[in-house]
Amino acid sequence: MIWFSFVVVMLFASQGWCYDPKNEPLYYKCRRDPTWRTVDYKECQELTGWYPQDKYWRDEDNTRAWLVDKYEDLPECLYKALDDAKMKYDWARCDESQKTELCEIKETKFMGHYYAKDQGQISTFANAFTEQEAYAVEALAQCIQEIMSREAPFYDDRAFGEDETEEAYGMYNEKGGNYCTYLQGLLQLYLPGVAATIYNVITHAVTNENWASEEGLKMIRPDKLGIRTAEFLDYKTTGKLGLHVDGGSVYSISVALNDEYEGGYFRLKGGDALFKVPTRGAIVFMSEREHAISDILGGERKVFVIELWEGEDVPVGLPRPTKEDFQVHKQQYLESDSSAVAETEDVSI
């Protein structure tokens, strides 16, 4: 059973992308270039309302210097991939023209909301990403694998389950798993437009009049939360993901990077409803609600998942930490860098 409700609404959130006809030229430019290299960075920040929650662990110059020292080819790899795509898909013409079909930025549209008290709720969106944003996420993941590593802490053949000896454990067994490339930290640095879009879509979901408060789960403004993890996930044929929670996070979003596969439906625990959004569409849900991905019956499923949590943005090379691990890492950094200043913020409302 596939559940869809085609309610078309212009995306207009109280925080995030605020579409206004007078801002159309800048809006188009900021969304066509997820790197914000060819636009005024501060103007795009002001338009989107997105600012990294990462004051304690780095400033932009320090992180760039670290990457140049350790992985100097990473930005070159990413920018070359994006420049090649710009020519391949003729996106270069969009620098001069904004109104052609080729250059049209399809507005993110609210598709529908599903809620069951004993299961949880989700909101679905079409066109959550532009073509350029979706391509950029996959390009960054590929460059991380190529330049940094296909091993921890940047990549993981991630099987789910607590006991490796149990029969259900394993990528293609009952618990399932996925091939994960971690993008947090690098996403904000190199693809700020993607981070801004993610916050906008989540904000629109949880401020929608249909979104319900759930007992025992916090409702917090997304712009007061940091990015705990940003993951490019790949599921092969016969892969799946058993019921689990994104424990320790507040909101999760899953953006479809393709839809050319069979099966692979998103579902909530105890529910019969199955969900699948088109390419570049998104599903937003409460992280602490149990959810799963059904068997991939054919093809390859690629998604981009971000979890927001009550804390600062997690830095490069620290894959999906617990709060305790994060505090240890943070303290070690502060002790090793006398110039670092710890700044914290109350994220509860």
Side-chain angles (χ1 to χ4, degrees):
M1 173 181 174
I2 306 175
W3 176 88
F4 278 120
S5 178
F6 289 95
V7 180
V8 177
V9 180
M10 173 75 76
L11 181 68
F12 188 92
S14 58
Q15 302 287 330
W17 287 112
C18 294
Y19 182 80
D20 187 319
K22 69 181 181 181
N23 290 328
E24 186 175 272
L26 179 60
Y27 172 85
Y28 272 65
K29 289 179 181 178
C30 293
R31 294 217 66 189
R32 283 200 197 100
D33 180 9
T35 69
W36 289 355
R37 288 182 300 157
T38 61
V39 295
D40 187 307
Y41 188 99
K42 289 186 178 180
E43 285 187 355
C44 287
Q45 274 197 319
E46 290 174 2
L47 180 67
T48 64
W50 173 79
Y51 299 89
Q53 303 285 339
D54 59 359
K55 297 172 184 174
Y56 91 87
W57 66 273
R58 66 117 170 117
D59 60 40
E60 187 171 309
D61 290 338
N62 283 342
T63 300
R64 288 186 188 277
W66 175 80
L67 287 166
V68 167
D69 181 51
K70 297 286 188 180
Y71 306 103
E72 61 181 346
D73 295 332
L74 181 67
E76 180 182 347
C77 174
L78 175 63
Y79 296 149
K80 183 181 185 304
L82 297 181
D83 289 342
D84 289 348
K86 200 172 184 180
M87 301 304 296
K88 178 180 179 181
Y89 299 108
D90 214 11
W91 292 334
R93 284 172 43 195
C94 299
D95 293 340
E96 305 298 331
S97 171
Q98 297 178 1
K99 293 296 186 181
T100 66
E101 182 177 351
L102 168 73
C103 299
E104 179 186 7
I105 298 295
K106 295 181 179 179
E107 301 301 336
T108 301
K109 296 176 181 178
F110 173 69
M111 296 176 65
H113 177 260
Y114 172 90
Y115 175 64
K117 186 175 180 180
D118 58 340
Q119 300 170 27
Q121 62 190 317
I122 72 164
S123 284
T124 55
F125 296 86
N127 306 323
F129 274 9
T130 64
E131 289 185 52
Q132 292 90 336
E133 289 166 344
Y135 188 92
V137 165
E138 189 162 356
L140 178 57
Q142 290 174 349
C143 287
I144 290 172
Q145 295 173 24
E146 178 182 335
I147 304 298
M148 300 179 81
S149 176
R150 286 184 67 95
E151 298 178 354
F154 308 114
Y155 180 87
D156 190 10
D157 295 344
R158 192 169 58 176
F160 278 61
E162 297 180 358
D163 184 358
E164 294 187 19
T165 64
E166 66 177 348
E167 186 174 346
Y169 183 91
M171 296 280 281
Y172 299 98
N173 293 326
E174 181 182 339
K175 297 289 186 179
N178 45 50
Y179 299 91
C180 175
T181 306
Y182 295 99
L183 277 61
Q184 70 277 353
L186 297 172
L187 177 81
Q188 298 94 307
L189 186 64
Y190 292 122
L191 301 177
V194 173
T197 293
I198 286 290
Y199 272 87
N200 178 50
V201 177
I202 294 176
T203 298
H204 186 69
V206 303
T207 57
N208 185 282
E209 62 181 9
N210 294 321
W211 195 268
S213 296
E214 296 190 44
E215 185 176 353
L217 300 181
K218 293 183 178 180
M219 293 286 290
I220 303 173
R221 276 176 45 181
D223 67 317
K224 295 298 183 182
L225 302 173
I227 294 178
R228 179 190 188 185
T229 189
E231 303 172 359
F232 172 78
L233 303 179
D234 193 358
Y235 296 83
K236 310 295 185 184
T237 299
T238 73
K240 60 182 173 182
L241 194 58
L243 282 168
H244 67 286
V245 298
D246 299 338
S249 298
V250 180
Y251 304 121
S252 297
I253 180 172
S254 175
V255 181
L257 299 179
N258 74 325
D259 57 12
E260 298 172 351
Y261 59 88
E262 298 178 21
Y265 293 100
F266 180 97
R267 69 179 180 89
L268 295 167
K269 181 181 180 181
D272 295 327
L274 300 174
F275 305 91
K276 189 174 184 179
V277 292
T279 299
R280 298 186 298 281
I283 296 174
V284 178
F285 56 98
M286 300 296 289
S287 303
E288 295 280 0
R289 282 295 193 176
E290 285 193 86
H291 54 282
I293 304 298
S294 68
D295 293 48
I296 314 299
L297 303 178
E300 185 176 4
R301 179 181 187 266
K302 297 179 181 180
V303 294
F304 180 52
V305 171
I306 278 188
E307 298 174 23
L308 302 186
W309 73 340
E310 294 183 86
E312 299 97 336
D313 285 356
V314 170
V316 183
L318 191 63
R320 204 179 178 281
T322 63
K323 286 187 176 180
E324 293 74 19
D325 289 341
F326 184 69
Q327 289 303 317
V328 170
H329 175 89
K330 179 175 176 178
Q331 189 59 40
Q332 290 173 343
Y333 173 81
L334 294 172
E335 290 174 352
S336 66
D337 186 350
S338 60
S339 66
V341 178
E343 298 185 34
T344 58
E345 180 181 7
D346 182 2
V347 298
S348 299
I349 58 173

